[in-house]
Amino acid sequence: MAQVIQTSPRPMTGEEYLESLRDGRKVFFRGEWVEDVTTHPAFRNAARTVARLYDALHSPETREILTKVDRQGILTHKFFAPAYSAEDLKEAAQAIAVWQRMSFGWMGRTPEYKAAFMATLGADPDYYAPFGETARRWYREYASRVLFMNHVIVDPPIDRNRPPSEVRDVYIHVVKETDGGIIVSGAKQVATASALTHGTFVGVNSGSAARLQEGRDEDVALVFFVRMDNPRQYLISRASYELDAESPFDHPLSSRFDENDAFLVLDEAFIPWEDVLIYRDVAKCKRFYADSGFFNRFNLQTTIRFMIKLEFMIGLLQKGLECNGTADFRGNQVMVGELVALRHLLWAIVTAMVSDPEPSLGGSVVPRLEYAAAARVYTNFAWDRIRQIYERILGGAPIINVSSYRDFLNPEVRPLLDRYLRGTGMSAVERSKLYKLVWDAVYSEFGGRHGLYELNYAGNHEQKYLDPLQWAERRGFMQQWKALVDECLSQYDLDGWRDATWVWETNGRER
């Protein structure tokens, strides 16, 4: 990662970003070490997609919307800096939207995702005492270069019925403490887009932290950073949808927006003290996830990202119906209208998150917790409904297509395709292109992975509902809501109304 840091403290360009990935990182794919992810066909187009985001930071058309100078004098992306007002949050939301529209909402873990946490380090670094200087220095480095961080905060789904301290053969834990830092080993998931990042944030999510007990789990109560050139960090990637994409015509999304997920292993990796945030502190591991404001902020990014993706899916569905000649069918309009209403609802929550924030560390503000929790629930289950609507009103239309763009290049079959595969007011090539996009979005391996991602990226299906309930109890909302019921119950009894406002008549007599 050394080549990322330059004497000129400014955001990287796209070219500088690509060069920064050539640092000897250990990415393994199909049994081989990928020495340069920027040129390997499994990663290169996704890397170039991210590079376009960095170029936008310098483009005259977008740089004013995307960047600002923070309170420390650092020129950075607006969401990479702490927010201190509703206006700051509004501008950050606009910056998120500009970046997300460049991939139509199909890349969830672009650089601004982890900015949801990293920016909080600049607001109150001393929250992480005795490692306050770690937070302070990482924020300066991160914000000034607009670094791309991945994160791993989930333990592998192994022996979860046992205490974390008893799964040391798998879970990340301290092996040894030295004068210069710590030696750690273990695995974490899911390192989404990690092959294209500048560093790994290793932490504990709310579900994992809830299982930690003081006096037992200190060796796994850790939060730290790993530089990508750490020789003992291994990223073992899943299959690449980008690699399998035959052409942009056949795979317009997966050929450039595949955020390859990886299984991350640290095998006696040395982590210097200057990269440690929390060390063997169970209480702080339990608190920091909520205290930092990360939860509030990441849901702002994910909701905006999902809404742009939803807008894309609404437009794609409407074009598919028009191609079929069924856009005016009343039942189809009803279902498209449902998605339009969902889009409006979630944008309204975004508006609430930025216009009615709550105080956070160091005098900063973050989106209100209640709004963030609501957005988390409704964005996570929405993809299943989107897919269901596609399947109901597009029917079998997405199946009827050519095997490859090459079919249109065959002079014998081309006239048949032009006649029988055309759409309503649309040529066969245009129809095929449209439905290839539908297939890649909903039914391909890439589309299937997105269905899994949308449902699980923010936690397990139960935790998403348990958190709002627990927070409502902690913040006194449940008591207020029960008090409403108690007030109603207090207004009557067996003898009738206890308040003279109302009249009760029985057997013709007023009581």
Side-chain angles (χ1 to χ4, degrees):
M1 187 168 164
Q3 55 267 65
V4 175
I5 305 172
Q6 301 180 5
T7 56
S8 175
R10 59 161 177 77
M12 285 177 282
T13 64
E15 183 179 355
E16 290 168 344
Y17 161 72
L18 292 174
E19 179 59 34
S20 72
L21 302 183
R22 303 181 179 108
D23 57 4
R25 62 191 58 205
K26 290 194 172 178
V27 178
F28 287 84
F29 179 78
R30 291 187 172 177
E32 297 180 349
W33 175 19
V34 179
E35 297 189 39
D36 187 349
V37 294
T38 70
T39 59
H40 193 284
F43 304 95
R44 62 191 178 192
N45 278 335
R48 281 158 175 74
T49 298
V50 176
R52 291 179 72 238
L53 304 181
Y54 282 97
D55 281 335
L57 297 172
H58 304 273
S59 169
E61 290 78 20
T62 52
R63 65 189 178 199
E64 295 300 321
I65 301 175
L66 289 172
T67 63
K68 66 181 291 184
V69 176
D70 74 357
R71 290 190 174 188
Q72 299 184 32
I74 298 171
L75 176 66
T76 190
H77 185 287
K78 288 179 179 177
F79 196 55
F80 281 56
Y84 294 94
S85 66
E87 184 61 27
D88 285 347
L89 280 176
K90 179 181 178 181
E91 291 183 356
Q94 293 170 341
I96 293 168
V98 168
W99 260 9
Q100 280 300 320
R101 288 191 187 281
M102 294 175 70
S103 63
F104 313 109
W106 283 95
M107 295 189 83
R109 295 296 172 89
T110 40
E112 85 279 9
Y113 174 81
K114 199 57 192 175
F117 173 75
M118 298 296 288
T120 71
L121 301 180
D124 187 9
D126 291 326
Y127 172 84
Y128 295 94
F131 299 103
E133 188 54 34
T134 294
R136 189 172 288 107
R137 185 179 49 76
W138 263 96
Y139 172 74
R140 289 195 299 265
E141 181 179 344
Y142 177 79
S144 64
R145 303 299 292 143
V146 186
L147 297 182
F148 188 179
M149 299 293 293
N150 76 86
H151 82 175
V152 285
I153 58 176
V154 179
D155 296 323
I158 300 168
D159 293 339
R160 288 185 175 176
N161 58 322
R162 300 166 60 191
S165 58
E166 294 182 8
V167 199
R168 291 171 63 94
D169 62 324
V170 175
Y171 295 174
I172 286 179
H173 63 281
V174 178
V175 175
K176 182 181 179 181
E177 178 181 328
T178 72
D179 291 340
I182 56 177
I183 308 295
V184 297
S185 285
K188 281 276 190 179
Q189 63 181 53
V190 177
T192 299
S194 54
L196 308 179
T197 61
H198 297 118
T200 301
F201 171 87
V202 181
V204 184
N205 69 359
S206 58
S208 298
R211 302 177 61 218
L212 300 180
Q213 292 186 18
E214 293 188 57
R216 185 191 72 182
D217 297 316
E218 277 71 14
D219 280 352
V220 298
L222 311 169
V223 177
F224 57 89
F225 301 103
V226 188
R227 307 269 175 173
M228 295 309 291
D229 60 359
N230 189 307
R232 307 299 292 178
Q233 176 178 239
Y234 298 85
L235 298 171
I236 305 169
S237 300
R238 61 156 165 79
S240 170
Y241 311 134
E242 177 180 327
L243 179 65
D244 293 337
E246 184 178 15
S247 73
F249 186 91
D250 294 313
H251 302 93
L253 301 176
S254 53
S255 59
R256 53 182 166 156
F257 300 142
D258 183 18
E259 299 175 288
N260 201 298
D261 307 287
F263 189 70
L264 182 140
V265 176
L266 299 176
D267 183 27
E268 296 195 356
F270 173 69
I271 310 298
W273 289 120
E274 53 264 30
D275 290 341
V276 175
L277 276 181
I278 298 175
Y279 178 61
R280 304 189 82 251
D281 190 332
V282 170
K284 185 162 283 189
C285 270
K286 286 177 174 289
R287 297 194 313 267
F288 95 96
Y289 190 83
D291 287 355
S292 67
F294 169 58
F295 179 90
N296 314 57
R297 285 173 54 90
F298 96 69
N299 277 291
L300 177 62
Q301 189 270 351
T302 56
T303 305
I304 293 170
R305 191 271 311 165
F306 184 81
M307 286 306 93
I308 291 171
K309 186 177 181 180
L310 176 56
E311 290 174 351
F312 180 89
M313 294 302 291
I314 293 171
L316 182 61
L317 178 61
Q318 184 67 17
K319 287 181 71 68
L321 292 171
E322 291 170 358
C323 177
N324 292 353
T326 59
D328 294 332
F329 290 11
R330 182 179 176 87
N332 292 349
Q333 290 178 337
V334 167
M335 291 193 173
V336 176
E338 178 182 337
L339 296 184
V340 172
L342 177 61
R343 179 267 181 201
H344 296 336
L345 173 65
L346 291 173
W347 269 121
I349 296 178
V350 169
T351 300
M353 281 198 279
V354 300
S355 62
D356 183 24
E358 64 180 53
S360 188
L361 298 177
S364 65
V365 298
V366 296
R368 192 164 296 280
L369 182 66
E370 300 87 68
Y371 306 153
R376 177 196 190 192
V377 168
Y378 286 98
T379 56
N380 281 192
F381 76 65
W383 189 255
D384 282 349
R385 182 56 177 160
I386 293 170
R387 176 166 178 148
Q388 184 182 58
I389 288 175
Y390 263 70
E391 291 172 348
R392 286 190 177 185
I393 64 179
L394 289 184
I399 297 175
I400 307 304
N401 214 326
V402 295
S403 61
S404 165
Y405 72 96
R406 292 186 178 91
D407 289 317
F408 284 104
L409 304 180
N410 186 307
E412 181 179 358
V413 75
R414 177 64 184 265
L416 301 176
L417 297 177
D418 286 341
R419 179 176 182 180
Y420 295 110
L421 200 64
R422 66 172 178 82
T424 304
M426 187 178 294
S427 72
V429 171
E430 291 172 327
R431 183 204 178 275
S432 182
K433 184 178 180 181
L434 175 65
Y435 272 100
K436 287 284 189 181
L437 180 55
V438 170
W439 189 270
D440 210 16
V442 185
Y443 305 106
S444 66
E445 276 196 276
F446 173 84
R449 179 264 180 196
H450 267 265
L452 191 62
Y453 176 82
E454 297 295 359
L455 187 62
N456 291 286
Y457 74 80
N460 69 73
H461 70 284
E462 294 178 333
Q463 198 66 41
K464 286 176 285 194
Y465 293 90
L466 290 173
D467 283 344
L469 173 61
Q470 292 169 355
W471 292 331
E473 292 171 343
R474 292 174 190 172
R475 293 192 167 198
F477 291 116
M478 187 61 73
Q479 288 76 7
Q480 294 174 26
W481 302 334
K482 290 193 295 183
L484 280 175
V485 179
D486 289 339
E487 181 181 354
C488 179
L489 291 169
S490 72
Q491 293 170 347
Y492 60 92
D493 57 22
L494 290 174
D495 294 323
W497 299 115
R498 301 178 68 180
D499 187 313
T501 301
W502 298 285
V503 175
W504 176 36
E505 292 185 2
T506 181
N507 297 325
R509 297 175 57 191
E510 184 175 298
R511 298 185 60 178

